């Protein structure tokens, strides 16, 4: 883990490298290695719905996770990547709601597709009705 932390930290320290392609390739290899050794990080890194995480974001979060672990910071006991995955799900649900409130007259919680008349003729006129 210390080697992974140092790799992620190294990436962050030399982010403005003179050879960004080589640095990006190295960073992507480092985050792939971290994900391969940490299934919870792998699950989080895949994102959820509209939420996606770039390799740069992954490198920063993995470096933060290693720093928190090195300092013995555990929060309330929920594993960090489980918490981040849950946050992605909540954020995705919020995005879903905003889009439906903006563009739809009706919201179907059972997952059925919207028909043409389920959409507002002029978005943002009135809130959707669940």
């Amino acid at each position: 883990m210390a080697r992974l932390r140092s790799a992620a930290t190294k990436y962050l320290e030399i982010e403005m490298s003179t050879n960004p392609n080589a640095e990006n390739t190295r960073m992507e290899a480092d985050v792939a290695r971290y994900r391969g050794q940490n299934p919870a990080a792998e699950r989080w890194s895949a994102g959820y719905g509209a939420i996606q995480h770039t390799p740069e974001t992954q490198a920063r979060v993995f470096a933060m996770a290693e720093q928190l672990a090195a300092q013995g910071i555990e929060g309330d006991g929920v594993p960090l990547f489980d918490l981040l995955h849950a946050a992605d799900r909540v954020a995705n649900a919020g995005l879903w709601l905003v889009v439906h409130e903006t563009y739809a007259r009706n919201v179907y919680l059972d997952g059925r597709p919207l028909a043409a008349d389920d959409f507002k003729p002029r978005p943002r006129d009135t809130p959707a009705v669940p």
Side-chain angles (χ1 to χ4, degrees):
M1 284 295 190
R3 193 173 124 203
L4 290 174
R5 180 170 50 90
S6 65
T9 302
K10 180 179 178 184
Y11 162 72
L12 295 175
E13 290 171 353
I14 57 176
E15 187 172 7
M16 300 304 288
S17 170
T18 57
N19 188 348
N21 290 335
E23 199 55 44
N24 284 340
T25 300
R26 187 175 315 131
M27 183 257 316
E28 289 175 8
D30 289 343
V31 297
R33 190 175 311 111
Y34 190 94
R35 289 190 313 258
Q37 295 176 355
N38 188 328
E42 175 73 33
R43 182 177 71 148
W44 167 79
S45 71
Y48 187 86
I51 306 299
Q52 302 298 313
H53 305 296
T54 65
E56 181 179 3
T57 298
Q58 293 175 46
R60 291 176 184 266
V61 169
F62 297 163
M64 177 191 68
E66 291 297 318
Q67 184 177 15
L68 291 171
Q71 294 174 357
I73 299 172
E74 296 181 10
D76 63 359
V78 175
L80 176 64
F81 290 106
D82 290 346
L83 180 65
L84 293 175
H85 182 69
D88 286 351
R89 292 182 63 150
V90 169
N92 188 71
L95 292 170
W96 179 91
L97 183 60
V98 168
V99 166
H100 281 77
E101 284 285 328
T102 303
Y103 297 103
R105 286 185 202 184
N106 301 306
V107 175
Y108 302 117
L109 301 178
D110 60 5
R112 74 183 115 150
L114 298 175
D117 59 339
D118 286 324
F119 289 90
K120 297 175 185 176
R122 292 181 304 212
R124 299 190 179 132
D125 279 354
T126 58
V129 178

